[in-house]
Amino acid sequence: MTPRAELREPGRDELAAAQQVVDLFAAEALLALDRYEQSFPAAATDKARRTADRLAHWWRRLDVDDVRLDPNGTDAEQILAKAAELSLDPDNDWGVSLEEASAQAVNRAAIEGRTLPVSSIADLRQQFEDAYGGRADVPSRDDEWLARSLTRFARASVLRDVVAEGAHVRVSGPLREAADDLVRQGQQLMDDRMNLARRQEAPISRREVLLRQARMTSAFFAYSMSVSLTGAPLWAELAMKAPALAAYAKGTSDAWVDHSNAVATRLDPAQAQLRSVRKGLADGLDSPIPATRRDTRALRGAPTHRPTQGR
């Protein structure tokens, strides 16, 4: 097969798909760091310093400095880049908080005339919860989650560069195939996120449960009338109606419980699919990408040909 680099420039959809994967693990790195930051008592005076030291430790150890960060990237990537910059600054004795990093990312984007990040760390937490229904498989240790997320972020960023440079840089076949695979999985991630968003917006109709209750109500009153017309003593009439009343009450309760369960579980299939695609991406990026030294030199020396990304 002829490598794609010899054929054409990357399409916007392809780059958007790769960007989605980078964003996924940039956000998880921030969430891991947020969990570490929140583990300190509110009154701890060294929280910002220790948070900065933790991020700087893994940033240097994993050589994330070698990654070409996208200044026009997603909110998560911009906030992560600013948090790393503050953490690695030798003149910054105070440290870093993610709230401060988020604010400074907004300020920098405003000064440079770029699209401002609009997501806060609280927003990222909620998005993570909504996407996976609180059942994402993440390490219990913050350190391990941060290290894994930064590793995946760095590797996805390199593959994004392979996609972005398109025909401008020749890379080895295995690296090109890895980038193409990232694009395919990123497109699946985008589709699954859109599916979840549609399910979240779609209202759950109460028509079925109301029709079900109307049928039970009609049946109960018809039976009650027929019992009343028998002319039986009151005590006998009540004895005959009691089982029907109990069945009516149970049926009504069951109908509304079923409706509540439908509302509560309507997102389960979409969230399960997102958990599956996330696992596939994580498993793939947990293995080193097949980049040769020549590939690395070519990517480092290449200009950036990323089209402007809308978010």
Side-chain angles (χ1 to χ4, degrees), residues 3-27:
R4 189 182 64 192
E6 297 178 9
L7 298 175
R8 59 183 173 83
E9 294 282 356
R12 291 179 63 87
D13 289 347
E14 292 174 301
L15 187 54
Q19 185 75 21
Q20 287 281 310
V21 181
V22 174
D23 171 68
L24 174 68
F25 293 112

Side-chain angles (χ1 to χ4, degrees), residues 209-225:
V209 69
L210 292 175
L211 287 174
R212 182 176 167 184
Q213 182 161 9
R215 290 193 295 268
M216 289 187 298
T217 301
S218 297
F220 173 70
F221 279 107
Y223 175 76
S224 295
M225 288 296 295

Side-chain angles (χ1 to χ4, degrees), residues 254-275:
D254 289 348
W256 285 103
V257 167
D258 290 345
H259 176 74
S260 297
N261 289 339
V263 172
T265 62
R266 76 190 191 282
L267 303 181
D268 283 359
Q271 290 169 336
Q273 179 58 32
L274 272 171
R275 289 194 297 271

Side-chain angles (χ1 to χ4, degrees), residues 89-164:
D89 183 357
D91 297 325
N92 176 18
D93 296 327
W94 177 73
V96 68
S97 73
L98 291 181
E99 183 179 351
E100 176 66 17
S102 180
Q104 290 204 27
V106 171
N107 291 339
R108 170 168 288 184
I111 291 170
E112 296 178 359
R114 294 185 281 104
T115 303
L116 304 184
V118 296
S119 298
S120 66
I121 300 301
D123 292 331
L124 295 179
R125 284 192 218 110
Q126 189 61 53
Q127 290 164 12
F128 190 77
E129 173 71 21
D130 291 344
Y132 308 116
R135 287 180 283 175
D137 182 20
V138 299
S140 58
R141 293 178 58 248
D142 308 325
D143 229 25
E144 183 181 356
W145 190 16
L146 178 60
R148 287 188 185 182
S149 298
L150 286 175
T151 298
R152 294 162 183 167
F153 166 74
R155 290 170 178 169
S157 297
V158 172
L159 295 176
R160 174 184 62 185
D161 286 343
V162 175
V163 176

Side-chain angles (χ1 to χ4, degrees), residues 33-62:
L33 194 64
D34 172 63
R35 199 170 71 177
Y36 177 79
E37 183 180 15
Q38 298 304 317
S39 69
F40 292 95
T45 57
D46 61 344
K47 177 167 66 172
R49 181 66 265 159
R50 291 176 65 180
T51 301
D53 289 345
R54 188 75 336 221
L55 178 57
H57 166 78
W58 285 114
W59 198 270
R60 292 190 182 101
R61 181 169 175 177
L62 299 171

Side-chain angles (χ1 to χ4, degrees), residues 233-246:
L234 180 60
W235 64 267
E237 184 178 327
L238 292 176
M240 287 187 285
K241 289 181 179 180
L245 179 61

